[in-house]
Amino acid sequence: MKKLSEKEIKKVLEKALEEGRKVIPDGHVATYIPQLGLVDPNLLGITIVTKDGDVYSVGDCDTRFTIQSISKTISLAVALELCGREEVFSTVGMEPSGEAFNSMVELDLNSNKPYNPMINSGAIAVESLIIPKASFSDMLLYTKRFCDDMEITIDDATYASEMSHSSRNRAIAYLLQSKDIIKTDVDDSMVLYTRMCSLSVTSRSLANLALLFAMGGVSPKTGERLISAETCRIVKTIMMTCGMYDGSGEFAVEVGIPTKSGVGGGLLSVVDKELGIGIYGPSLDAKGNSIAGKVMLKYLADELELHLFS
Ligand code: GLU
């Protein structure tokens, strides 16, 4: 990362926000979960937290939004910690699928396990591994601690909205059961998955989570180890290869920061050993990634030299 003064970093962030705002009209908020369709598409915020404890925030950083698919990183981390990598990766793969996040064709036709834990089929399978070992309250507590945000709760309206429009995820869950991948109750896996997606966070909570991954699982604030280094390494690598849906390859080339997106408009980005970045921008591109968030990350990667291979 380029060495810049506090003032210069703030200027870069302001400019990133300006660049991001320009493309908001080119995207759309998600509407397949009706509650997400009610959100103001013009909201945009970014928070950076550094390993030294500096925090930089611009835009709508205090607005709460649902974490959606970004929760898949938390569930994967917890599953790896509680079940071990052998059990996790005998249930779910670690290859990009090249298909949309809610696809089931590749699972139905080509494979006896979901391609990776960042797509819905993989994440629902991961939840089924967690169920015998941790309850939703345990998962909520893990999330609060990982994000250093004790205010995180479930957004009931979004949860109810998604549960009443969940035919596709239910179909995925039943397909998983038909292939003997889910061995616990199908509804339990669906409910835990949807609850995890409905947790409400801010860009700051995501930046804290990203920094925890960046620091190999040791809380930069307390020095306490919350996640093993091995688990963080696996999660970050899978974020890099699979975190931006079927746009992951291009994003890795152009931006080169391991990132996970969610259809709520969040982005979780890890600059290894340096920074955590959290973004909120609910206007999405055709693949489901925050359209302004991607532009802002590209701008930051160029200006601050954050590409993994820069
Ligand atoms: N809860 C959403 C779903 O399952 C998450 C999708 C996403 O953020 O990619 O459709």
Side-chain angles (χ1 to χ4, degrees), residues 150-295:
M150 291 299 141
E151 308 292 304
I152 294 175
T153 51
I154 189 160
D155 176 333
D156 290 317
T158 307
Y159 174 70
S161 183
E162 179 160 12
M163 283 304 275
S164 56
H165 290 79
S166 59
S167 311
R168 195 166 180 95
N169 283 340
R170 284 182 197 279
I172 290 173
Y174 278 100
L175 181 60
L176 289 165
Q177 189 191 42
S178 77
K179 289 184 169 248
D180 216 19
I181 299 166
I182 284 190
K183 297 190 179 73
T184 47
D185 183 85
V186 173
D187 284 328
D188 289 350
S189 304
M190 262 293 300
V191 165
L192 182 58
Y193 168 76
T194 313
R195 280 181 162 167
M196 288 302 290
C197 287
S198 306
L199 295 179
S200 75
V201 292
T202 62
S203 62
R204 173 74 187 264
S205 348
L206 294 184
N208 289 339
L209 173 61
L211 184 63
L212 181 66
F213 285 136
M215 302 314 287
V218 175
S219 160
K221 210 159 113 183
T222 62
E224 190 189 349
R225 175 167 292 288
L226 301 181
I227 310 173
S228 73
E230 162 81 348
T231 289
C232 289
R233 189 177 62 80
I234 295 171
V235 173
K236 287 182 280 197
T237 311
I238 295 181
M239 283 170 67
M240 187 73 168
T241 53
C242 309
M244 297 293 277
Y245 308 119
D246 43 334
S248 299
E250 187 184 338
F251 185 82
V253 171
E254 295 299 333
V255 181
I257 306 174
T259 296
K260 180 71 197 93
S261 65
V263 294
L267 289 170
L268 168 85
S269 300
V270 179
V271 180
D272 210 31
K273 300 184 175 64
E274 298 270 1
L275 306 176
I277 305 175
I279 287 182
Y280 177 46
S283 179
L284 308 179
D285 68 11
K287 299 194 171 188
N289 297 309
S290 171
I291 195 160
K294 272 175 60 185
V295 166

Side-chain angles (χ1 to χ4, degrees), residues 135-154:
S135 65
F136 171 66
S137 334
D138 299 329
M139 293 303 287
L140 178 58
L141 194 58
Y142 280 120
T143 306
K144 287 178 172 178
R145 296 183 73 212
F146 293 175
C147 294
D148 190 21
D149 178 359
M150 291 299 141
E151 308 292 304
I152 294 175
T153 51
I154 189 160

Side-chain angles (χ1 to χ4, degrees), residues 32-33 68-69 72 101 120 162 169 193 197 245 262-263:
Y32 78 98
I33 299 172
Q68 298 299 339
S69 257
K72 290 167 179 155
F101 65 93
N120 291 12
E162 179 160 12
N169 283 340
Y193 168 76
C197 287
Y245 308 119
V263 294

